[in-house]
Every structure is written in structure tokens, then in C-alpha cells.
Amino acid sequence: MKLIVLVFLFLLSGWQQIAGASAAITLPNGFQITVALEGVPDARSLALGDQKTLFISTRRAGKLYAARDEKGDGKFSRPVLLAEGLRMPNGIAFHEGALYVAENHRITRFDGIEGRLHNPPAPVEIAKLPTERHHGWRYIAFGPDGLLYVSIGAPCNICNEPGYGTIIRMRPDGKGRELFAEGVRNSVGFDWAPGTGDLWFSDNGRDWLGDDLPPDEINRAESPRLHFGYPYCHAGYLADPEFGMLRPCEDFTPPALTLGAHVAPLGIRFYTGKQFPAKYQGQLFVAEHGSWNRSEPVGYRIGLARIESGEVKSYEPFATGWLGTGGAVSGRPVDLLEMPDGSLLVSDDHAGLIYRITYNP
């Protein structure tokens, strides 16, 4: 009997911690946040299959998961382990029935995965990638042109290495690889603007210039082969102490939005659903993962960029509370995924949770 009581208290404690994880989050009036899925340590990128299967990647854990909302109530079933022993499988994307997975050194494809969650097919390698581990966790997504976009982060804090600090794109079979954007230190999230189809992406600024420099960035690529400054210029105006004398900031495309230094923007998502009020539709949500080496932590929230005619007019907090008093951290937002019903999922690699944000006044 004593053992049963101890088990019950342990489970109750875990439930209270999970319930508290969402209860601490502050949102605008009318919005609610709940835990949609637990038990996914190091939850990172999110992708949705044609049959509404939720796929979740990790980075440090080296694992890949899937889960389904069996009851249609916004709660996902216990995650199914699809693969393990992978090398930083951060980026994932679903396209024409297949799940694409970006490890540090390659991109693979799991064909017909939704019909084989409990017996996954062997992955098919479609592309090899650089093997440097510094900023080697890739982000991938399919664009409106049907091409697969891949970020290749700089293999350092600050350096000038050809072939790195880029976003490339390729056909779904891995062929036809080409440069799309350069001067990008480390992007871990991008999306395409509704209407224009322009690529917007997050970019994490360099370290060790102090607490307040340089600002992190959200960039807009209206056309291919634009250069966004790294390693010569940061945030459109700040010449790098080591490389800035080589090329002036005027040579490069300035950011669409500068954020706080070291807030670490990762996933970004244009909201195209109808569940949220009209003033949120077509706007850009940004997951600020949070600082790791700042004397006072910043970030650990979701921001909202209000955009008109392709220009950012304002930036404001949308979801806060993961950063508590005294710098206590309860969660770190990573990726954002809009669901068919207009709700918004948020991954948290610190707490190992997936949240669901809904609107119901």
C-alpha cells in the first residue's frame, strides 16, 4: 500500500509540474495555452503529416518521434519513437508523403512514414552536408516553389569560411543544389510570407561583444543570392571588430527586424489561420529561445512582429513567463507550427513539452 501511495504522489507531482508549465505563461486576453504533448525530451522542430501526424525532432537526444491527436481534442497520444542514434536531427519537413530529416552530416527521407509509425522504413539518403558540429544543427523546410531549403550555419562564433553561413536549396531528390542566401551566421527557422512568397528567416548574432551587442535578426529575402552581412557586418550597422574593415555595412541587405542581443530567435511562423483575431492574421510569430551567456538572461518568450506591405511596423511580446524572477527558467520555446484548426503548437526543448495555443474569448 505504501508503494502505491508513493507512486501516486510521484505521478501527481509530475502532473502538477506539467500543469504549472502552462499556467505560468501569460498571453493576450482571449488566448489560452495548454500542454498538448509531454514526454519528448529535447523537443525541437515540428512537422505535420497529411494524416495529421505530428513529427518531432530533437537535437542532443538524437531521436525522432511521432504522435497523433486520436480524439481530436488537441491532446496528442504518447509519442512513438521512430529513430534514435541520429546525429543532431534538428530539421524535419514533410513533403508528398515522406518525412525529411536533416542530421548534421546528411539529409534523409522516410517514405510512406505515416502508414508505418510502428515499423518505420529504412531512411533514404538524398544529400550529404558539411560535418562540422559548431552550428551544425540544420533547419529545413519546403518552400512554395517545391524546393527544400537548408540552413548551413557558420562553423564558429566568427569566421569567414566559404560554403558556410548560408541557406541553400535543392530539389526533393537532393539534386540541383544552389545557393539561396549568404552572410547568414546561423538560421534555425524560416517561413514564407503569405501573398508575396518572400522568405523570412531568423539569424542568431555572434557572441562575445558584450551583453547588448549585436542584435539578433529577422531577415527578409525578396530574391535569391542576397548577402546579409556575416561575418563583416551585424544587424545592418555594426562592423565586426575582426572582419568589418574588409567590407562596409552598405554592401549588404539590412535586417527586416532587429531583436534584443542574445535572445536567440529560432522558429518563426506567419499565421495564416482564422482562429486568432484578424489583427494576428498574416503576422509573424517568433520563438525566442533565450540567452545562454548573458549576465542577465533575456528572451525565453514568443514575440509578435506586426507587418504591413512587407515592412515590420512593431514588435511586441506575445507569450511570456518561461523566464521567472531571478533568472529562473522553466522553458525555452523552439519551433512553431500552425495546425489545421488555427491553433499554434510550440515546442520546448527545456521542459520536453509541446504546448498548444488557442483563442476562445
Side-chain angles (χ1 to χ4, degrees):
M1 183 66 182
K2 184 177 180 180
L3 178 60
I4 295 175
V5 172
L6 289 174
V7 171
F8 173 76
L9 291 175
F10 174 78
L11 294 174
L12 178 61
S13 173
W15 179 85
Q16 289 173 335
Q17 290 176 358
I18 292 169
S22 58
I25 308 306
T26 300
L27 293 157
N29 289 338
F31 287 91
Q32 298 84 36
I33 185 169
T34 57
V35 174
L37 178 63
E38 57 183 285
V40 188
D42 196 39
R44 294 281 292 188
S45 295
L46 305 174
L48 190 67
D50 292 334
Q51 300 173 29
K52 299 184 181 180
T53 306
L54 177 65
F55 296 98
I56 311 108
S57 74
T58 65
R59 190 183 80 178
R60 295 185 179 91
K63 297 180 179 180
L64 185 67
Y65 296 92
R68 283 183 170 152
D69 179 2
E70 305 286 0
K71 299 180 181 179
D73 60 358
K75 300 286 186 180
F76 289 87
S77 58
R78 182 182 298 275
V80 175
L81 179 63
L82 299 178
E84 58 185 333
L86 307 180
R87 189 189 301 179
M88 290 192 288
N90 180 79
I92 55 174
F94 192 87
H95 181 71
E96 295 184 345
L99 180 68
Y100 288 72
V101 180
E103 296 180 71
N104 163 249
H105 62 305
R106 65 177 184 171
I107 298 174
T108 58
R109 188 185 70 231
F110 290 80
D111 295 321
I113 185 67
E114 286 191 283
R116 299 185 58 180
L117 296 182
H118 296 280
N119 181 28
V124 177
E125 183 177 296
I126 68 162
K128 294 186 181 299
L129 300 175
T131 59
E132 282 75 8
R133 298 179 69 88
H134 196 117
H135 296 149
W137 44 95
R138 318 299 178 190
Y139 187 86
I140 62 175
F142 277 92
D145 54 10
L147 299 179
L148 179 62
Y149 288 67
V150 185
S151 64
I152 307 294
C156 56
N157 172 40
I158 186 75
C159 60
N160 189 11
E161 293 290 334
Y164 294 87
T166 64
I167 296 174
I168 62 174
R169 62 182 177 180
M170 62 187 73
R171 296 199 299 266
D173 60 5
K175 298 178 181 179
R177 184 185 307 201
E178 64 179 0
L179 175 69
F180 181 78
E182 56 186 325
V184 182
R185 180 176 178 268
N186 187 35
S187 178
V188 196
F190 33 79
D191 197 11
W192 286 263
T196 66
D198 293 343
L199 176 68
W200 292 61
F201 61 91
S202 62
D203 194 8
N204 288 249
R206 66 157 293 175
D207 296 312
W208 311 121
L209 290 185
D211 274 358
D212 301 317
L213 291 174
D216 287 333
E217 304 173 15
I218 302 296
N219 290 290
R220 175 190 179 193
E222 300 177 71
S223 60
R225 292 190 167 271
L226 297 178
H227 196 302
F228 291 89
Y230 178 87
Y232 312 101
C233 178
H234 310 290
Y237 71 91
L238 182 65
D240 185 79
E242 184 175 350
F243 293 96
M245 72 288 295
L246 300 177
R247 293 184 65 179
C249 286
E250 290 75 16
D251 283 358
F252 309 111
T253 302
L257 171 66
T258 55
L259 306 172
H262 312 300
V263 300
L266 299 187
I268 66 173
R269 189 68 56 198
F270 280 98
Y271 184 78
T272 60
K274 301 298 182 183
Q275 184 182 126
F276 293 4
K279 65 180 181 179
Y280 294 94
Q281 294 169 17
Q283 306 306 307
L284 184 67
F285 289 89
V286 178
E288 297 184 8
H289 194 231
S291 58
W292 65 272
N293 65 342
R294 197 175 185 276
S295 58
E296 293 186 14
V298 291
Y300 305 93
R301 65 180 188 173
I302 298 172
L304 175 66
R306 297 195 179 277
I307 299 171
E308 295 180 12
S309 302
E311 303 293 330
V312 177
K313 299 300 182 181
S314 65
Y315 186 69
E316 63 198 54
F318 175 75
T320 60
W322 287 287
L323 179 62
T325 57
V329 174
S330 62
R332 304 187 76 182
V334 177
D335 201 13
L336 306 166
L337 178 66
E338 183 183 318
M339 298 297 284
D341 66 354
S343 61
L344 191 66
L345 298 187
V346 183
S347 61
D348 178 345
D349 64 351
H350 179 83
L353 301 174
I354 308 296
Y355 304 93
R356 179 173 180 255
I357 297 176
T358 56
Y359 181 79
N360 183 4

